[in-house]
Amino acid sequence: MRRKGVNYSKFGYIFTLPFVLAFLIFSLYPILYTAAIGFTDMQGLIPKPIHILDDPFKNFKDLLFDNVSFRKSLLNTGLLWIVNFVPQILLALLLTAWFTNKRLNIKGQGAFKVLLYMPNIITASTIAILFGTLFAYPMGPINSLIQLLGWSDAPINFLQDKTTARGIVAFIQFWMWYGNTMIILIAGVMGINPALFESAAIDGASGFQTFFRITLPSLRTILLFTLITSMIGGLTMFDIPQLFLLGGPDESTLTTSMFIYGQAFKGSYLYNRAAAASMIMFVIAGILSAVVFYLMRDRDAERLKKAEKKLRKSARSNKEGGMIHHG
Protein backbone atom coordinates (compact mmCIF):
# COMPACT_ATOMS: atom_id res chain seq x y z
CA MET A 1 0.00 0.00 0.00
CA ARG A 2 1.16 3.48 -0.77
CA ARG A 3 1.65 5.44 2.41
CA LYS A 4 0.28 8.96 2.42
CA GLY A 5 2.79 11.65 3.47
CA VAL A 6 2.08 14.17 6.20
CA ASN A 7 2.10 17.84 5.22
CA TYR A 8 3.43 19.87 8.14
CA SER A 9 3.39 23.26 6.41
CA LYS A 10 -0.22 23.94 7.45
CA PHE A 11 0.82 23.85 11.12
CA GLY A 12 3.32 26.64 10.43
CA TYR A 13 0.51 28.80 9.05
CA ILE A 14 -1.68 27.99 12.06
CA PHE A 15 1.05 28.95 14.55
CA THR A 16 1.79 32.25 12.76
CA LEU A 17 -1.89 33.18 12.44
CA PRO A 18 -2.16 34.89 15.90
CA PHE A 19 0.82 37.11 15.13
CA VAL A 20 -0.49 37.98 11.65
CA LEU A 21 -3.90 38.93 13.05
CA ALA A 22 -2.34 41.00 15.87
CA PHE A 23 -0.05 42.75 13.37
CA LEU A 24 -2.91 43.56 11.00
CA ILE A 25 -5.16 44.91 13.76
CA PHE A 26 -2.68 46.67 16.05
CA SER A 27 0.13 47.70 13.67
CA LEU A 28 -0.78 47.81 10.00
CA TYR A 29 -4.27 49.30 10.41
CA PRO A 30 -3.11 52.13 12.75
CA ILE A 31 -0.24 52.96 10.38
CA LEU A 32 -2.55 53.15 7.35
CA TYR A 33 -5.18 55.10 9.30
CA THR A 34 -2.56 57.56 10.55
CA ALA A 35 -1.23 58.02 7.03
CA ALA A 36 -4.74 58.69 5.75
CA ILE A 37 -5.79 61.30 8.33
CA GLY A 38 -2.57 63.22 7.69
CA PHE A 39 -4.20 64.39 4.43
CA THR A 40 -7.46 65.47 6.09
CA ASP A 41 -8.86 68.21 8.35
CA MET A 42 -9.51 65.84 11.28
CA GLN A 43 -9.31 67.77 14.56
CA GLY A 44 -11.28 68.51 17.71
CA LEU A 45 -12.31 66.36 20.65
CA ILE A 46 -15.83 65.76 19.28
CA PRO A 47 -15.81 63.75 16.01
CA LYS A 48 -16.84 65.74 12.93
CA PRO A 49 -17.17 64.84 9.25
CA ILE A 50 -13.67 64.38 7.83
CA HIS A 51 -12.69 65.87 4.48
CA ILE A 52 -9.54 65.52 2.41
CA LEU A 53 -7.87 68.92 2.10
CA ASP A 54 -7.81 70.76 -1.23
CA ASP A 55 -4.03 70.66 -0.90
CA PRO A 56 -3.49 67.14 0.51
CA PHE A 57 0.06 67.95 1.63
CA LYS A 58 -0.88 71.12 3.52
CA ASN A 59 -0.35 69.57 6.97
CA PHE A 60 3.09 68.32 5.97
CA LYS A 61 4.11 71.67 4.49
CA ASP A 62 2.90 73.58 7.55
CA LEU A 63 4.99 71.37 9.83
CA LEU A 64 8.17 71.45 7.78
CA PHE A 65 8.16 75.11 6.76
CA ASP A 66 5.97 77.07 9.20
CA ASN A 67 6.05 75.24 12.53
CA VAL A 68 9.13 76.29 14.53
CA SER A 69 8.37 73.89 17.40
CA PHE A 70 8.35 70.88 15.08
CA ARG A 71 11.69 71.79 13.52
CA LYS A 72 13.12 72.39 16.97
CA SER A 73 11.83 68.99 18.13
CA LEU A 74 13.54 67.32 15.15
CA LEU A 75 16.83 69.02 16.03
CA ASN A 76 16.50 68.10 19.73
CA THR A 77 15.68 64.47 18.91
CA GLY A 78 18.71 64.05 16.65
CA LEU A 79 21.03 65.84 19.05
CA LEU A 80 19.91 63.89 22.12
CA TRP A 81 20.22 60.58 20.27
CA ILE A 82 23.73 61.27 18.94
CA VAL A 83 25.03 62.59 22.28
CA ASN A 84 23.78 59.50 24.15
CA PHE A 85 24.42 56.81 21.52
CA VAL A 86 28.08 57.53 20.69
CA PRO A 87 29.38 57.08 24.28
CA GLN A 88 26.85 54.27 24.78
CA ILE A 89 28.20 52.11 21.94
CA LEU A 90 31.84 52.92 22.79
CA LEU A 91 31.43 51.94 26.46
CA ALA A 92 29.41 48.84 25.50
CA LEU A 93 32.18 47.73 23.12
CA LEU A 94 34.83 48.37 25.79
CA LEU A 95 32.93 46.34 28.39
CA THR A 96 32.28 43.60 25.84
CA ALA A 97 36.00 43.34 25.06
CA TRP A 98 36.72 43.27 28.81
CA PHE A 99 34.18 40.58 29.70
CA THR A 100 34.93 38.30 26.73
CA ASN A 101 38.72 38.43 27.00
CA LYS A 102 39.80 34.89 27.96
CA ARG A 103 43.23 36.10 29.05
CA LEU A 104 41.80 38.39 31.73
CA ASN A 105 39.41 35.68 33.01
CA ILE A 106 37.43 38.18 35.12
CA LYS A 107 35.81 36.73 38.23
CA GLY A 108 32.22 37.52 39.17
CA GLN A 109 31.18 38.48 35.63
CA GLY A 110 27.54 37.64 36.34
CA ALA A 111 27.31 40.15 39.19
CA PHE A 112 28.98 42.87 37.11
CA LYS A 113 26.60 42.29 34.19
CA VAL A 114 23.54 42.44 36.46
CA LEU A 115 24.72 45.70 38.04
CA LEU A 116 25.48 47.30 34.67
CA TYR A 117 22.16 46.17 33.21
CA MET A 118 20.15 47.28 36.27
CA PRO A 119 19.37 50.87 35.08
CA ASN A 120 17.55 49.42 32.08
CA ILE A 121 14.91 47.69 34.24
CA ILE A 122 14.16 50.72 36.46
CA THR A 123 10.99 52.52 35.38
CA ALA A 124 11.36 55.85 33.60
CA SER A 125 9.22 57.64 36.19
CA THR A 126 11.52 56.48 38.99
CA ILE A 127 14.61 57.64 37.10
CA ALA A 128 13.01 61.01 36.34
CA ILE A 129 12.27 61.55 40.04
CA LEU A 130 15.79 60.38 40.99
CA PHE A 131 17.57 62.82 38.66
CA GLY A 132 15.12 65.60 39.44
CA THR A 133 16.08 65.20 43.10
CA LEU A 134 19.82 64.95 42.38
CA PHE A 135 19.86 68.18 40.36
CA ALA A 136 17.29 70.03 42.46
CA TYR A 137 17.75 73.76 43.02
CA PRO A 138 18.95 75.15 45.38
CA MET A 139 19.40 72.25 47.84
CA GLY A 140 20.01 69.19 45.66
CA PRO A 141 22.85 66.69 46.32
CA ILE A 142 24.78 67.78 43.20
CA ASN A 143 24.62 71.45 44.19
CA SER A 144 25.66 70.60 47.75
CA LEU A 145 28.64 68.59 46.47
CA ILE A 146 29.76 71.37 44.09
CA GLN A 147 29.65 73.95 46.85
CA LEU A 148 31.40 71.59 49.26
CA LEU A 149 34.26 71.13 46.78
CA GLY A 150 34.47 74.88 46.29
CA TRP A 151 33.66 74.78 42.58
CA SER A 152 30.86 77.33 42.98
CA ASP A 153 29.87 79.84 45.65
CA ALA A 154 26.18 79.81 44.73
CA PRO A 155 23.82 76.96 43.76
CA ILE A 156 23.40 76.30 40.03
CA ASN A 157 19.99 75.82 38.46
CA PHE A 158 20.96 73.01 36.08
CA LEU A 159 17.42 72.32 34.94
CA GLN A 160 16.84 75.90 33.72
CA ASP A 161 19.89 75.97 31.46
CA LYS A 162 19.33 74.57 27.94
CA THR A 163 22.76 72.99 27.57
CA THR A 164 22.85 71.28 30.96
CA ALA A 165 19.22 70.15 30.62
CA ARG A 166 19.96 68.48 27.28
CA GLY A 167 23.16 67.00 28.68
CA ILE A 168 21.34 65.48 31.67
CA VAL A 169 18.61 63.97 29.47
CA ALA A 170 21.22 62.52 27.10
CA PHE A 171 23.19 61.14 30.06
CA ILE A 172 20.06 59.48 31.48
CA GLN A 173 19.40 57.78 28.13
CA PHE A 174 23.03 56.67 27.93
CA TRP A 175 23.00 55.39 31.54
CA MET A 176 19.75 53.47 31.00
CA TRP A 177 20.72 51.72 27.77
CA TYR A 178 24.48 51.04 27.70
CA GLY A 179 23.99 47.87 29.78
CA ASN A 180 21.38 46.56 27.34
CA THR A 181 23.70 47.26 24.39
CA MET A 182 26.56 45.52 26.23
CA ILE A 183 24.48 42.35 26.81
CA ILE A 184 23.52 42.20 23.11
CA LEU A 185 27.15 42.59 22.01
CA ILE A 186 28.37 39.96 24.50
CA ALA A 187 25.74 37.55 23.16
CA GLY A 188 27.04 38.26 19.66
CA VAL A 189 30.64 37.55 20.70
CA MET A 190 29.55 34.25 22.26
CA GLY A 191 28.23 33.20 18.85
CA ILE A 192 31.61 33.65 17.13
CA ASN A 193 33.50 30.44 16.38
CA PRO A 194 36.05 29.94 19.23
CA ALA A 195 38.51 28.46 16.73
CA LEU A 196 39.07 31.95 15.32
CA PHE A 197 40.22 33.26 18.70
CA GLU A 198 42.38 30.17 19.29
CA SER A 199 44.05 30.62 15.90
CA ALA A 200 44.70 34.28 16.65
CA ALA A 201 46.26 33.40 20.02
CA ILE A 202 48.50 30.76 18.40
CA ASP A 203 49.61 33.31 15.79
CA GLY A 204 50.56 35.70 18.60
CA ALA A 205 47.86 38.32 18.03
CA SER A 206 47.42 40.81 20.86
CA GLY A 207 44.05 41.44 22.51
CA PHE A 208 43.79 44.72 20.62
CA GLN A 209 44.44 43.02 17.25
CA THR A 210 42.04 40.18 18.04
CA PHE A 211 39.23 42.59 18.92
CA PHE A 212 39.59 44.80 15.84
CA ARG A 213 40.49 42.08 13.31
CA ILE A 214 38.18 39.25 14.46
CA THR A 215 35.58 40.37 17.00
CA LEU A 216 34.37 43.62 15.39
CA PRO A 217 34.10 42.28 11.80
CA SER A 218 32.20 39.24 13.10
CA LEU A 219 29.78 41.54 14.98
CA ARG A 220 28.69 43.45 11.88
CA THR A 221 25.14 42.00 11.96
CA ILE A 222 24.77 42.56 15.72
CA LEU A 223 26.08 46.13 15.40
CA LEU A 224 23.62 46.74 12.58
CA PHE A 225 20.76 45.51 14.76
CA THR A 226 21.95 47.65 17.68
CA LEU A 227 22.30 50.75 15.54
CA ILE A 228 18.88 50.37 13.88
CA THR A 229 17.01 49.66 17.14
CA SER A 230 18.83 52.47 18.94
CA MET A 231 18.09 54.90 16.14
CA ILE A 232 14.39 54.05 16.13
CA GLY A 233 14.35 54.26 19.93
CA GLY A 234 16.05 57.66 19.74
CA LEU A 235 13.55 58.95 17.18
CA THR A 236 10.66 57.88 19.43
CA MET A 237 12.22 59.17 22.68
CA PHE A 238 9.39 60.28 24.95
CA ASP A 239 9.27 59.07 28.55
CA ILE A 240 12.39 60.63 30.11
CA PRO A 241 12.09 64.12 28.49
CA GLN A 242 8.36 64.17 29.24
CA LEU A 243 8.55 63.03 32.88
CA PHE A 244 11.79 64.82 33.73
CA LEU A 245 11.42 68.34 32.28
CA LEU A 246 8.18 68.34 30.22
CA GLY A 247 10.25 69.44 27.22
CA GLY A 248 11.72 72.48 28.95
CA PRO A 249 13.44 74.77 29.42
CA ASP A 250 12.21 76.73 26.38
CA GLU A 251 11.55 73.50 24.40
CA SER A 252 15.24 72.55 24.62
CA THR A 253 14.35 68.92 25.46
CA LEU A 254 11.16 68.75 23.38
CA THR A 255 11.36 65.61 21.24
CA THR A 256 9.28 64.79 18.18
CA SER A 257 7.23 62.18 20.04
CA MET A 258 6.38 64.79 22.68
CA PHE A 259 5.39 67.25 19.95
CA ILE A 260 3.11 64.64 18.34
CA TYR A 261 1.55 63.82 21.71
CA GLY A 262 0.96 67.50 22.41
CA GLN A 263 -0.67 68.09 19.02
CA ALA A 264 -2.98 65.09 19.31
CA PHE A 265 -4.04 65.12 22.96
CA LYS A 266 -3.59 68.67 24.24
CA GLY A 267 -5.29 71.95 23.37
CA SER A 268 -6.99 71.83 19.98
CA TYR A 269 -6.62 68.06 19.39
CA LEU A 270 -5.02 68.48 15.97
CA TYR A 271 -5.08 64.83 14.96
CA ASN A 272 -4.34 65.64 11.32
CA ARG A 273 -1.18 67.55 12.19
CA ALA A 274 -0.07 64.87 14.66
CA ALA A 275 -0.61 62.19 12.00
CA ALA A 276 1.40 64.20 9.45
CA ALA A 277 4.26 64.58 11.95
CA SER A 278 4.14 60.83 12.63
CA MET A 279 4.41 60.01 8.94
CA ILE A 280 7.31 62.45 8.50
CA MET A 281 9.12 60.60 11.30
CA PHE A 282 8.21 57.29 9.67
CA VAL A 283 9.80 58.40 6.39
CA ILE A 284 12.90 59.75 8.20
CA ALA A 285 13.31 56.44 10.08
CA GLY A 286 12.97 54.50 6.82
CA ILE A 287 15.54 56.64 4.99
CA LEU A 288 18.05 56.50 7.86
CA SER A 289 17.60 52.73 8.18
CA ALA A 290 18.24 52.28 4.45
CA VAL A 291 21.39 54.42 4.70
CA VAL A 292 22.66 52.39 7.68
CA PHE A 293 21.96 49.10 5.89
CA TYR A 294 23.86 50.37 2.84
CA LEU A 295 26.87 51.64 4.80
CA MET A 296 27.17 48.46 6.90
CA ARG A 297 26.64 45.97 4.08
CA ASP A 298 29.08 43.09 3.67
CA ARG A 299 31.31 44.42 0.90
CA ASP A 300 33.27 41.15 0.53
CA ALA A 301 30.08 39.15 0.02
CA GLU A 302 28.85 41.78 -2.44
CA ARG A 303 32.10 41.60 -4.45
CA LEU A 304 31.92 37.80 -4.44
CA LYS A 305 28.33 37.91 -5.65
CA LYS A 306 29.26 40.30 -8.48
CA ALA A 307 32.19 38.06 -9.47
CA GLU A 308 29.93 34.98 -9.56
CA LYS A 309 27.36 36.86 -11.63
CA LYS A 310 30.07 37.99 -14.06
CA LEU A 311 31.41 34.44 -14.28
CA ARG A 312 27.96 33.01 -15.03
CA LYS A 313 27.39 35.68 -17.67
CA SER A 314 30.75 34.90 -19.27
CA ALA A 315 30.02 31.17 -19.23
CA ARG A 316 26.61 31.78 -20.84
CA SER A 317 28.18 33.95 -23.53
CA ASN A 318 30.82 31.30 -24.28
CA LYS A 319 28.14 28.62 -24.45
CA GLU A 320 26.01 30.65 -26.87
CA GLY A 321 29.10 31.43 -28.94
CA GLY A 322 29.98 27.74 -29.09
CA MET A 323 26.49 26.83 -30.21
CA ILE A 324 26.58 29.43 -33.00
CA HIS A 325 30.01 28.19 -34.14
CA HIS A 326 28.82 24.58 -34.04
CA GLY A 327 25.76 25.48 -36.07
Side-chain angles (χ1 to χ4, degrees), residues 4-16:
K4 188 178 180 182
V6 180
N7 185 8
Y8 292 101
S9 61
K10 63 180 181 180
F11 296 105
Y13 291 114
I14 293 172
F15 285 126
T16 57

Side-chain angles (χ1 to χ4, degrees), residues 50 52 67 87 191 199 213 217 224 228-229 231 239 244 280 282 303 316 326:
I50 303 172
I52 296 177
N67 197 303
S199 300
R213 298 294 180 87
L224 177 62
I228 293 293
T229 53
M231 182 185 66
D239 48 5
F244 185 45
I280 290 172
F282 181 80
R303 280 195 292 268
R316 195 183 301 117
H326 180 70

Side-chain angles (χ1 to χ4, degrees), residues 237-256:
M237 192 186 308
F238 176 81
D239 48 5
I240 292 298
Q242 173 70 24
L243 296 169
F244 185 45
L245 293 170
L246 297 174
D250 193 25
E251 297 186 342
S252 60
T253 58
L254 177 73
T255 63
T256 312

Side-chain angles (χ1 to χ4, degrees), residues 41-46 48 260-274:
D41 59 354
M42 182 179 181
Q43 54 185 275
L45 187 58
I46 300 174
K48 298 177 182 177
I260 293 169
Y261 174 80
Q263 293 293 304
F265 303 110
K266 292 181 180 179
S268 302
Y269 298 92
L270 302 174
Y271 300 117
N272 55 343
R273 188 172 293 179

Side-chain angles (χ1 to χ4, degrees), residues 108-223:
Q109 286 194 29
F112 279 116
K113 291 173 185 176
V114 169
L115 290 173
L116 295 173
Y117 184 74
M118 191 73 73
N120 191 247
I121 61 177
I122 302 174
T123 60
S125 56
T126 304
I127 291 176
I129 293 171
L130 170 64
F131 277 85
T133 304
L134 286 174
F135 289 93
Y137 176 84
M139 296 295 292
I142 300 297
N143 265 313
S144 299
L145 179 62
I146 289 175
Q147 291 180 71
L148 183 65
L149 296 173
W151 294 350
S152 177
D153 296 330
I156 303 169
N157 198 342
F158 293 100
L159 304 184
Q160 289 302 312
D161 182 82
K162 294 181 182 181
T163 304
T164 55
R166 283 176 178 149
I168 293 169
V169 171
F171 174 79
I172 293 173
Q173 292 292 133
F174 153 76
W175 179 68
M176 286 178 65
W177 289 100
Y178 80 93
N180 179 74
T181 305
M182 176 198 69
I183 294 295
I184 294 172
L185 294 178
I186 289 175
V189 172
M190 294 301 170
I192 300 174
N193 189 350
L196 295 174
F197 297 108
E198 293 171 5
S199 300
I202 292 171
D203 292 339
S206 64
F208 186 85
Q209 291 173 321
T210 301
F211 183 76
F212 281 96
R213 298 294 180 87
I214 296 176
T215 306
L216 269 186
S218 301
L219 284 177
R220 178 187 281 111
T221 305
I222 302 297
L223 287 171

